[in-house]
Amino acid sequence: MPFEYRLKRRVQFYETDMAGIVHFSWFFRYLEEAEHAMWREAGLSIADGSGIGWPRVEASFEFHRPLRFGDEFDVHLRIVGKDARTIRYEGIVSKDGARVATGKIAVKCVSTKPGEPMKSIDIPAAIDALLQVAPGD
Amino acid sequence: MPFEYRLKRRVQFYETDMAGIVHFSWFFRYLEEAEHAMWREAGLSIADGSGIGWPRVEASFEFHRPLRFGDEFDVHLRIVGKDARTIRYEGIVSKDGARVATGKIAVKCVSTKPGEPMKSIDIPAAIDALLQVAPGD
Amino acid sequence: MPFEYRLKRRVQFYETDMAGIVHFSWFFRYLEEAEHAMWREAGLSIADGSGIGWPRVEASFEFHRPLRFGDEFDVHLRIVGKDARTIRYEGIVSKDGARVATGKIAVKCVSTKPGEPMKSIDIPAAIDALLQVAPGD
Amino acid sequence: MPFEYRLKRRVQFYETDMAGIVHFSWFFRYLEEAEHAMWREAGLSIADGSGIGWPRVEASFEFHRPLRFGDEFDVHLRIVGKDARTIRYEGIVSKDGARVATGKIAVKCVSTKPGEPMKSIDIPAAIDALLQVAPGD
């Protein structure tokens, strides 16, 4: 039962801005990449066509150091909280062992039907059983 | 019946890359913005929930000059060709009257059903009647 | 002396994801657009080539409702805090008067030289004089 | 001496749009990723801080099939042309052996100085020696 994931990634050219560093909006995408890779490893998909979605209800980052074009970095994602309808993740972005940024995301389980508003629902038992809070959190 | 559209736009910070200029991938989005604005002006929507989609089948750009953060620019979009299933656009991006880039996009009309592959169909008459090829093209 | 800015904006097609809503990473860009527009209105530029930069040190959003393709929305940005080296913004994203999301960004003033790490410095007096904390914050 | 590169990649969630497929602007970024990976393999960097840049002068794609979230795909990039100041690439995007899209990019060698316009120059001999046109092209 997965509770963490370690993503290795390299900064792409189009992720940089004219300041010569990765634009901060990309870090939220890096975290999401790690989240989806963790789900895939658990045999799950964040978008499996079953009418369930996982919109973000909170997302935050603290930035300590910049990343630059070509940099190799790690995202260490952990599930740090879970209740009936919400999963909370924390992700630490680091480069050569030094912390670059720390992010948090909370996602909610919703049912989605075309033409109807999304509606908050309980996390299905089959998914809930496969994702657990990281020990120590 | 619209056959052209003039979009005014300003370069955003996150559209630049570490070379200090707009990343070339953004020009394709600028053209699409103009296309969708033209449809809106005609009372149409590129995504109206009716099970019809408009995927791009060809897209190209020639780049003459760079755009930089804060630059104001124009996109002059014209419909330059149309047949039963395809619409062809050309868009000229300019800044202070000087040509920056020239783009072309061809889009195809398809029917879309969840879980099924997209299928090429004829452009619905109601849409076809509202969009025409620009005079002189 | 500006302390707030109201940006009107429309959701672009390329800002949506397969869930049919704006991808959450875009809200951070919307806030930045409002920030840069406020600076422009004050006669300032966030990137004026003078060797000063404004990297984000914190960024967060709470999401209440989704935005969809074509939606018109507002970003009401306010300066909510300022010290010698940091500016804090809060931005409320709303649509038809209903709150969609609430974001916060903290930016730091740094000196930037090619090939050297960014270094935290005091906000130049000329800039500091033009930006003030919104009354009531 | 490299003349081709094969990139393996997976579609990320944020690369999809509300039509449920990868937004076409991303294919241009996929091609660029392969280009930069090829340069890296050759011991080169597209952005080495030496005052040389490689802006795109032409970019085009033909799209045959869509890509969807989670899809694994390949980009087979080849150098198909080269003269004193320009390199031409072709990239074939495929999935499970079926062709998804075919792209072409032409890049020009320029000198870049802060505050000055980019100026077209000859490709430096050290770079020219390391990149060659693919046999048969």
Side-chain angles (χ1 to χ4, degrees):
Chain A
M1 288 204 301
F3 49 78
E4 64 173 355
Y5 191 85
R6 291 172 191 273
L7 177 77
K8 288 195 88 67
R9 185 62 157 77
R10 190 189 288 275
V11 172
Q12 297 298 334
F13 187 81
Y14 56 76
E15 295 165 1
T16 63
D17 61 34
M18 65 178 288
I21 62 177
V22 169
H23 190 265
F24 79 110
S25 58
W26 277 94
F27 285 81
F28 295 93
R29 298 178 171 187
Y30 296 159
L31 219 64
E32 196 184 65
E33 281 190 37
E35 176 199 8
H36 294 181
M38 192 180 85
W39 278 55
R40 206 151 41 227
E41 200 184 55
L44 298 169
S45 171
I46 211 96
D48 63 359
S50 71
I52 289 178
W54 301 90
R56 275 87 252 273
V57 289
E58 288 170 39
S60 66
F61 249 104
E62 284 179 53
F63 303 101
H64 314 300
R65 280 176 183 73
L67 285 177
R68 294 173 193 278
F69 172 58
D71 281 355
E72 288 183 283
F73 63 93
D74 300 277
V75 181
H76 181 202
L77 184 80
R78 285 157 32 246
I79 300 180
V80 295
K82 207 174 65 163
D83 63 29
R85 304 187 161 198
T86 312
I87 304 172
R88 294 183 175 277
Y89 300 95
E90 187 178 295
I92 295 169
V93 179
S94 57
K95 186 196 146 195
D96 301 332
R99 188 179 291 216
V100 166
T102 311
K104 290 179 186 176
I105 291 187
V107 305
K108 218 171 190 161
C109 187
V110 299
S111 70
T112 62
K113 283 179 196 150
E116 286 181 35
M118 303 185 298
K119 211 184 112 185
S120 176
I121 58 167
D122 281 2
I123 299 171
I127 293 174
D128 189 59
L130 283 169
L131 300 172
Q132 67 174 91
V133 175
D137 281 300
Chain B
M1 289 203 301
F3 49 79
E4 65 173 354
Y5 190 85
R6 290 172 191 273
L7 177 76
K8 287 195 87 67
R9 182 69 154 74
R10 190 189 288 275
V11 172
Q12 298 298 333
F13 187 81
Y14 55 78
E15 295 165 2
T16 63
D17 61 34
M18 65 178 288
I21 61 176
V22 169
H23 191 265
F24 79 110
S25 58
W26 276 94
F27 286 81
F28 295 93
R29 297 178 172 187
Y30 295 159
L31 219 64
E32 196 185 64
E33 281 189 38
E35 176 199 9
H36 293 182
M38 191 180 85
W39 279 55
R40 207 153 39 228
E41 202 184 53
L44 298 169
S45 171
I46 210 95
D48 62 0
S50 71
I52 289 179
W54 301 89
R56 276 86 252 273
V57 289
E58 287 171 41
S60 66
F61 250 103
E62 283 179 55
F63 303 100
H64 313 300
R65 279 176 182 72
L67 285 176
R68 294 173 194 277
F69 172 58
D71 281 356
E72 289 184 282
F73 62 93
D74 300 277
V75 181
H76 181 202
L77 184 79
R78 286 159 31 248
I79 300 180
V80 294
K82 205 174 66 164
D83 63 29
R85 304 187 162 198
T86 312
I87 304 173
R88 294 183 175 277
Y89 301 96
E90 187 178 294
I92 295 170
V93 180
S94 55
K95 186 196 145 194
D96 300 332
R99 189 178 292 217
V100 166
T102 311
K104 290 179 186 176
I105 291 187
V107 305
K108 218 171 191 161
C109 187
V110 300
S111 69
T112 60
K113 282 177 196 152
E116 285 181 36
M118 302 185 299
K119 212 184 110 184
S120 176
I121 58 167
D122 281 2
I123 299 171
I127 294 175
D128 189 58
L130 284 168
L131 300 172
Q132 66 175 91
V133 175
D137 281 298
Chain C
M1 287 202 302
F3 49 79
E4 65 173 355
Y5 191 84
R6 290 173 191 272
L7 177 75
K8 287 194 90 65
R9 185 62 156 76
R10 190 189 288 275
V11 171
Q12 298 298 332
F13 187 81
Y14 55 78
E15 295 165 2
T16 63
D17 61 33
M18 65 178 289
I21 62 176
V22 169
H23 190 266
F24 78 111
S25 58
W26 276 94
F27 286 81
F28 295 93
R29 297 178 172 187
Y30 296 159
L31 219 65
E32 196 185 65
E33 280 189 38
E35 176 200 7
H36 294 181
M38 191 180 87
W39 278 56
R40 208 154 36 228
E41 200 183 55
L44 297 169
S45 172
I46 210 96
D48 63 359
S50 71
I52 289 178
W54 302 88
R56 275 86 252 271
V57 289
E58 287 170 41
S60 66
F61 250 103
E62 284 178 55
F63 303 101
H64 313 300
R65 278 176 184 74
L67 285 177
R68 295 175 195 275
F69 172 59
D71 281 355
E72 288 184 282
F73 62 93
D74 300 277
V75 181
H76 181 201
L77 184 79
R78 286 159 30 248
I79 300 181
V80 294
K82 205 173 68 165
D83 63 28
R85 304 187 161 198
T86 312
I87 303 173
R88 295 184 175 278
Y89 301 95
E90 187 178 294
I92 296 169
V93 179
S94 56
K95 186 197 146 195
D96 300 332
R99 189 178 291 215
V100 166
T102 312
K104 290 179 186 176
I105 292 187
V107 305
K108 217 171 192 161
C109 188
V110 300
S111 70
T112 61
K113 283 179 195 149
E116 285 181 37
M118 302 185 300
K119 212 184 111 184
S120 176
I121 58 167
D122 281 3
I123 298 171
I127 294 174
D128 189 59
L130 284 168
L131 299 172
Q132 67 176 90
V133 175
D137 281 299
Chain D
M1 286 204 303
F3 49 78
E4 64 172 355
Y5 191 83
R6 291 173 190 273
L7 177 76
K8 288 195 90 66
R9 186 63 157 76
R10 190 189 288 276
V11 171
Q12 297 298 332
F13 187 81
Y14 55 78
E15 294 165 2
T16 63
D17 60 34
M18 65 178 289
I21 62 176
V22 169
H23 191 264
F24 78 110
S25 58
W26 276 94
F27 285 80
F28 295 93
R29 297 178 172 187
Y30 296 159
L31 219 65
E32 195 184 66
E33 280 190 38
E35 176 199 8
H36 293 182
M38 191 181 86
W39 278 56
R40 207 153 37 230
E41 200 184 56
L44 298 169
S45 171
I46 210 96
D48 63 359
S50 71
I52 290 178
W54 301 89
R56 275 86 252 274
V57 289
E58 288 171 40
S60 66
F61 250 103
E62 284 179 53
F63 303 102
H64 313 300
R65 279 176 184 75
L67 285 177
R68 295 175 193 276
F69 172 57
D71 281 355
E72 289 184 281
F73 62 94
D74 300 277
V75 181
H76 181 200
L77 184 80
R78 286 157 32 247
I79 300 179
V80 294
K82 207 174 65 165
D83 63 29
R85 304 186 161 198
T86 311
I87 303 173
R88 294 183 174 277
Y89 301 95
E90 187 179 294
I92 296 169
V93 179
S94 56
K95 185 196 148 196
D96 300 333
R99 189 178 291 216
V100 166
T102 312
K104 289 179 187 177
I105 291 186
V107 305
K108 217 171 192 162
C109 187
V110 300
S111 70
T112 62
K113 283 178 196 150
E116 286 182 35
M118 303 185 299
K119 212 185 112 185
S120 175
I121 58 167
D122 282 3
I123 299 171
I127 293 174
D128 189 60
L130 284 168
L131 299 172
Q132 67 175 93
V133 175
D137 281 299

Short mmCIF file of all heavy atoms in Angstrom, two decimals, chain B residues 9-10 12-14 26 29 32-33 36 40 45-47 69, chain C residues 9-10 12-14 26 29 32-33 36 40 45-47 69:
data_model
loop_
_atom_site.label_atom_id
_atom_site.label_comp_id
_atom_site.label_asym_id
_atom_site.label_seq_id
_atom_site.Cartn_x
_atom_site.Cartn_y
_atom_site.Cartn_z
N ARG B 9 -3.37 41.84 -27.59
CA ARG B 9 -2.92 40.99 -26.49
C ARG B 9 -1.61 41.55 -25.96
O ARG B 9 -0.90 42.24 -26.68
CB ARG B 9 -2.74 39.60 -27.10
CG ARG B 9 -2.33 38.47 -26.26
CD ARG B 9 -3.36 38.00 -25.25
NE ARG B 9 -3.12 36.60 -24.96
CZ ARG B 9 -2.11 36.16 -24.21
NH1 ARG B 9 -1.23 36.98 -23.66
NH2 ARG B 9 -1.97 34.86 -23.99
N ARG B 10 -1.29 41.25 -24.73
CA ARG B 10 -0.01 41.65 -24.15
C ARG B 10 0.74 40.39 -23.71
O ARG B 10 0.13 39.45 -23.21
CB ARG B 10 -0.23 42.56 -22.95
CG ARG B 10 1.03 43.21 -22.43
CD ARG B 10 0.80 43.92 -21.13
NE ARG B 10 0.02 45.14 -21.22
CZ ARG B 10 0.54 46.34 -21.53
NH1 ARG B 10 1.83 46.46 -21.77
NH2 ARG B 10 -0.23 47.40 -21.58
N GLN B 12 2.56 37.95 -21.43
CA GLN B 12 2.63 37.71 -19.99
C GLN B 12 4.01 37.16 -19.60
O GLN B 12 4.67 36.51 -20.40
CB GLN B 12 1.54 36.72 -19.56
CG GLN B 12 0.13 37.24 -19.81
CD GLN B 12 -0.19 38.50 -19.03
OE1 GLN B 12 0.38 38.75 -17.96
NE2 GLN B 12 -1.08 39.33 -19.56
N PHE B 13 4.38 37.41 -18.36
CA PHE B 13 5.69 36.97 -17.85
C PHE B 13 5.91 35.47 -18.03
O PHE B 13 6.98 35.03 -18.46
CB PHE B 13 5.79 37.34 -16.37
CG PHE B 13 7.14 37.10 -15.77
CD1 PHE B 13 8.17 38.01 -15.95
CD2 PHE B 13 7.40 35.97 -15.01
CE1 PHE B 13 9.42 37.80 -15.39
CE2 PHE B 13 8.66 35.75 -14.46
CZ PHE B 13 9.66 36.66 -14.64
N TYR B 14 4.86 34.69 -17.72
CA TYR B 14 5.01 33.22 -17.74
C TYR B 14 5.07 32.69 -19.17
O TYR B 14 5.23 31.49 -19.38
CB TYR B 14 3.89 32.55 -16.95
CG TYR B 14 2.49 32.92 -17.38
CD1 TYR B 14 1.93 32.36 -18.52
CD2 TYR B 14 1.74 33.83 -16.66
CE1 TYR B 14 0.66 32.72 -18.92
CE2 TYR B 14 0.46 34.19 -17.05
CZ TYR B 14 -0.07 33.63 -18.18
OH TYR B 14 -1.33 33.98 -18.58
N TRP B 26 3.88 29.28 -27.52
CA TRP B 26 2.78 30.19 -27.18
C TRP B 26 2.09 30.78 -28.39
O TRP B 26 0.91 31.12 -28.34
CB TRP B 26 3.29 31.32 -26.26
CG TRP B 26 3.29 30.85 -24.86
CD1 TRP B 26 4.33 30.29 -24.16
CD2 TRP B 26 2.17 30.80 -23.98
NE1 TRP B 26 3.92 29.92 -22.91
CE2 TRP B 26 2.61 30.23 -22.77
CE3 TRP B 26 0.84 31.20 -24.09
CZ2 TRP B 26 1.75 30.04 -21.69
CZ3 TRP B 26 -0.01 31.01 -23.03
CH2 TRP B 26 0.45 30.43 -21.84
N ARG B 29 -0.98 29.11 -29.26
CA ARG B 29 -2.08 29.43 -28.36
C ARG B 29 -2.66 30.81 -28.67
O ARG B 29 -3.87 31.02 -28.56
CB ARG B 29 -1.58 29.36 -26.91
CG ARG B 29 -1.12 27.96 -26.54
CD ARG B 29 -0.58 27.89 -25.12
NE ARG B 29 -0.34 26.50 -24.73
CZ ARG B 29 0.01 26.11 -23.52
NH1 ARG B 29 0.16 27.01 -22.56
NH2 ARG B 29 0.22 24.83 -23.25
N GLU B 32 -5.04 30.36 -31.46
CA GLU B 32 -6.26 29.71 -30.98
C GLU B 32 -7.14 30.70 -30.22
O GLU B 32 -8.37 30.65 -30.33
CB GLU B 32 -5.89 28.52 -30.09
CG GLU B 32 -7.04 27.57 -29.88
CD GLU B 32 -6.70 26.46 -28.90
OE1 GLU B 32 -6.43 26.76 -27.71
OE2 GLU B 32 -6.69 25.30 -29.31
N GLU B 33 -6.53 31.57 -29.45
CA GLU B 33 -7.31 32.59 -28.75
C GLU B 33 -8.10 33.44 -29.74
O GLU B 33 -9.27 33.75 -29.51
CB GLU B 33 -6.39 33.51 -27.93
CG GLU B 33 -5.94 32.93 -26.63
CD GLU B 33 -5.22 33.96 -25.75
OE1 GLU B 33 -5.64 35.13 -25.73
OE2 GLU B 33 -4.27 33.57 -25.08
N HIS B 36 -11.02 31.39 -31.24
CA HIS B 36 -12.16 31.24 -30.33
C HIS B 36 -12.90 32.57 -30.14
O HIS B 36 -14.13 32.59 -30.01
CB HIS B 36 -11.68 30.67 -29.00
CG HIS B 36 -11.18 29.27 -29.11
ND1 HIS B 36 -10.73 28.53 -28.06
CD2 HIS B 36 -11.06 28.45 -30.19
CE1 HIS B 36 -10.36 27.33 -28.48
NE2 HIS B 36 -10.54 27.27 -29.76
N ARG B 40 -16.80 33.31 -30.91
CA ARG B 40 -17.67 33.93 -29.90
C ARG B 40 -18.41 35.11 -30.51
O ARG B 40 -19.60 35.29 -30.30
CB ARG B 40 -16.80 34.38 -28.72
CG ARG B 40 -17.53 34.43 -27.41
CD ARG B 40 -16.60 34.21 -26.21
NE ARG B 40 -15.31 34.85 -26.39
CZ ARG B 40 -14.14 34.27 -26.19
NH1 ARG B 40 -14.05 33.03 -25.76
NH2 ARG B 40 -13.02 34.93 -26.37
N SER B 45 -19.64 28.61 -30.21
CA SER B 45 -18.61 28.17 -29.27
C SER B 45 -17.91 26.95 -29.83
O SER B 45 -18.56 26.04 -30.35
CB SER B 45 -19.21 27.83 -27.91
OG SER B 45 -18.21 27.22 -27.11
N ILE B 46 -16.61 26.95 -29.71
CA ILE B 46 -15.78 25.84 -30.17
C ILE B 46 -16.04 24.59 -29.32
O ILE B 46 -15.68 23.48 -29.68
CB ILE B 46 -14.29 26.27 -30.11
CG1 ILE B 46 -13.46 25.58 -31.15
CG2 ILE B 46 -13.70 26.13 -28.73
CD1 ILE B 46 -13.29 26.37 -32.40
N ALA B 47 -16.66 24.79 -28.17
CA ALA B 47 -16.90 23.68 -27.23
C ALA B 47 -18.25 23.92 -26.58
O ALA B 47 -18.33 24.46 -25.50
CB ALA B 47 -15.80 23.62 -26.18
N PHE B 69 8.48 40.24 -22.81
CA PHE B 69 7.57 40.55 -21.72
C PHE B 69 7.00 41.96 -21.83
O PHE B 69 7.74 42.93 -21.99
CB PHE B 69 8.32 40.40 -20.37
CG PHE B 69 7.51 40.88 -19.20
CD1 PHE B 69 6.26 40.33 -18.92
CD2 PHE B 69 7.98 41.89 -18.37
CE1 PHE B 69 5.52 40.76 -17.84
CE2 PHE B 69 7.24 42.34 -17.29
CZ PHE B 69 6.00 41.78 -17.03
N ARG C 9 -10.82 38.93 -16.93
CA ARG C 9 -10.14 37.93 -17.74
C ARG C 9 -11.15 36.89 -18.19
O ARG C 9 -12.19 36.72 -17.56
CB ARG C 9 -9.09 37.31 -16.81
CG ARG C 9 -8.11 36.32 -17.28
CD ARG C 9 -7.16 36.77 -18.33
NE ARG C 9 -5.98 35.92 -18.26
CZ ARG C 9 -5.94 34.67 -18.73
NH1 ARG C 9 -7.00 34.11 -19.26
NH2 ARG C 9 -4.81 33.98 -18.66
N ARG C 10 -10.86 36.20 -19.27
CA ARG C 10 -11.72 35.11 -19.74
C ARG C 10 -10.89 33.83 -19.78
O ARG C 10 -9.70 33.87 -20.13
CB ARG C 10 -12.24 35.43 -21.13
CG ARG C 10 -13.31 34.48 -21.61
CD ARG C 10 -13.65 34.71 -23.06
NE ARG C 10 -14.38 35.93 -23.34
CZ ARG C 10 -15.71 36.04 -23.26
NH1 ARG C 10 -16.44 35.00 -22.89
NH2 ARG C 10 -16.31 37.18 -23.55
N GLN C 12 -9.28 30.68 -21.18
CA GLN C 12 -8.90 30.19 -22.51
C GLN C 12 -8.99 28.67 -22.57
O GLN C 12 -8.82 28.00 -21.56
CB GLN C 12 -7.47 30.64 -22.85
CG GLN C 12 -7.30 32.15 -22.92
CD GLN C 12 -8.15 32.80 -24.00
OE1 GLN C 12 -8.47 32.18 -25.01
NE2 GLN C 12 -8.54 34.05 -23.77
N PHE C 13 -9.20 28.17 -23.77
CA PHE C 13 -9.35 26.72 -23.98
C PHE C 13 -8.14 25.94 -23.44
O PHE C 13 -8.30 24.91 -22.78
CB PHE C 13 -9.51 26.45 -25.48
CG PHE C 13 -9.84 25.02 -25.82
CD1 PHE C 13 -11.14 24.55 -25.71
CD2 PHE C 13 -8.86 24.15 -26.26
CE1 PHE C 13 -11.46 23.24 -26.03
CE2 PHE C 13 -9.16 22.83 -26.58
CZ PHE C 13 -10.46 22.38 -26.46
N TYR C 14 -6.94 26.44 -23.71
CA TYR C 14 -5.72 25.71 -23.33
C TYR C 14 -5.47 25.76 -21.82
O TYR C 14 -4.53 25.14 -21.34
CB TYR C 14 -4.50 26.23 -24.10
CG TYR C 14 -4.26 27.72 -23.96
CD1 TYR C 14 -3.67 28.25 -22.82
CD2 TYR C 14 -4.61 28.61 -24.98
CE1 TYR C 14 -3.46 29.61 -22.69
CE2 TYR C 14 -4.41 29.97 -24.86
CZ TYR C 14 -3.82 30.46 -23.72
OH TYR C 14 -3.61 31.81 -23.58
N TRP C 26 -3.11 27.26 -13.17
CA TRP C 26 -3.36 28.52 -13.86
C TRP C 26 -3.73 29.65 -12.92
O TRP C 26 -3.48 30.82 -13.22
CB TRP C 26 -4.45 28.33 -14.93
CG TRP C 26 -3.83 27.81 -16.17
CD1 TRP C 26 -3.72 26.52 -16.57
CD2 TRP C 26 -3.16 28.59 -17.17
NE1 TRP C 26 -3.03 26.43 -17.75
CE2 TRP C 26 -2.69 27.68 -18.13
CE3 TRP C 26 -2.93 29.94 -17.33
CZ2 TRP C 26 -1.97 28.11 -19.25
CZ3 TRP C 26 -2.22 30.37 -18.44
CH2 TRP C 26 -1.75 29.46 -19.38
N ARG C 29 -0.97 31.83 -12.13
CA ARG C 29 -0.63 32.73 -13.24
C ARG C 29 -1.62 33.89 -13.32
O ARG C 29 -1.23 35.01 -13.64
CB ARG C 29 -0.59 31.93 -14.55
CG ARG C 29 0.50 30.85 -14.52
CD ARG C 29 0.51 30.02 -15.79
NE ARG C 29 1.67 29.13 -15.82
CZ ARG C 29 2.01 28.39 -16.85
NH1 ARG C 29 1.31 28.43 -17.96
NH2 ARG C 29 3.09 27.62 -16.79
N GLU C 32 -0.51 36.40 -10.85
CA GLU C 32 0.68 37.10 -11.34
C GLU C 32 0.32 38.12 -12.42
O GLU C 32 0.91 39.20 -12.46
CB GLU C 32 1.68 36.07 -11.87
CG GLU C 32 3.07 36.63 -12.04
CD GLU C 32 4.02 35.64 -12.68
OE1 GLU C 32 3.81 35.27 -13.86
OE2 GLU C 32 4.96 35.21 -12.02
N GLU C 33 -0.62 37.77 -13.28
CA GLU C 33 -1.06 38.74 -14.29
C GLU C 33 -1.58 40.01 -13.64
O GLU C 33 -1.28 41.12 -14.08
CB GLU C 33 -2.18 38.13 -15.16
CG GLU C 33 -1.68 37.20 -16.24
CD GLU C 33 -2.80 36.81 -17.21
OE1 GLU C 33 -3.65 37.65 -17.55
OE2 GLU C 33 -2.80 35.65 -17.62
N HIS C 36 1.34 42.05 -12.14
CA HIS C 36 2.12 42.78 -13.14
C HIS C 36 1.33 43.95 -13.72
O HIS C 36 1.89 45.00 -14.02
CB HIS C 36 2.59 41.82 -14.23
CG HIS C 36 3.58 40.81 -13.73
ND1 HIS C 36 4.17 39.87 -14.52
CD2 HIS C 36 4.10 40.61 -12.49
CE1 HIS C 36 4.98 39.12 -13.79
NE2 HIS C 36 4.95 39.55 -12.56
N ARG C 40 2.36 47.85 -13.68
CA ARG C 40 2.35 48.65 -14.91
C ARG C 40 1.56 49.94 -14.68
O ARG C 40 1.98 51.02 -15.09
CB ARG C 40 1.73 47.83 -16.04
CG ARG C 40 2.22 48.20 -17.41
CD ARG C 40 2.12 47.03 -18.40
NE ARG C 40 0.95 46.21 -18.17
CZ ARG C 40 0.97 44.88 -18.10
NH1 ARG C 40 2.09 44.21 -18.24
NH2 ARG C 40 -0.14 44.20 -17.90
N SER C 45 7.88 48.21 -13.69
CA SER C 45 7.93 46.91 -14.35
C SER C 45 8.62 45.91 -13.44
O SER C 45 9.63 46.21 -12.81
CB SER C 45 8.69 46.98 -15.67
OG SER C 45 8.88 45.66 -16.16
N ILE C 46 8.03 44.74 -13.37
CA ILE C 46 8.57 43.65 -12.56
C ILE C 46 9.89 43.15 -13.15
O ILE C 46 10.65 42.45 -12.50
CB ILE C 46 7.50 42.52 -12.52
CG1 ILE C 46 7.59 41.74 -11.23
CG2 ILE C 46 7.55 41.63 -13.72
CD1 ILE C 46 6.65 42.20 -10.17
N ALA C 47 10.17 43.53 -14.39
CA ALA C 47 11.38 43.07 -15.08
C ALA C 47 11.87 44.21 -15.94
O ALA C 47 11.58 44.28 -17.12
CB ALA C 47 11.07 41.84 -15.92
N PHE C 69 -14.19 26.77 -19.54
CA PHE C 69 -13.88 27.45 -20.79
C PHE C 69 -14.88 28.57 -21.08
O PHE C 69 -16.10 28.37 -21.04
CB PHE C 69 -13.90 26.44 -21.95
CG PHE C 69 -13.80 27.09 -23.30
CD1 PHE C 69 -12.70 27.88 -23.62
CD2 PHE C 69 -14.79 26.93 -24.25
CE1 PHE C 69 -12.60 28.48 -24.87
CE2 PHE C 69 -14.70 27.52 -25.50
CZ PHE C 69 -13.60 28.30 -25.81
#
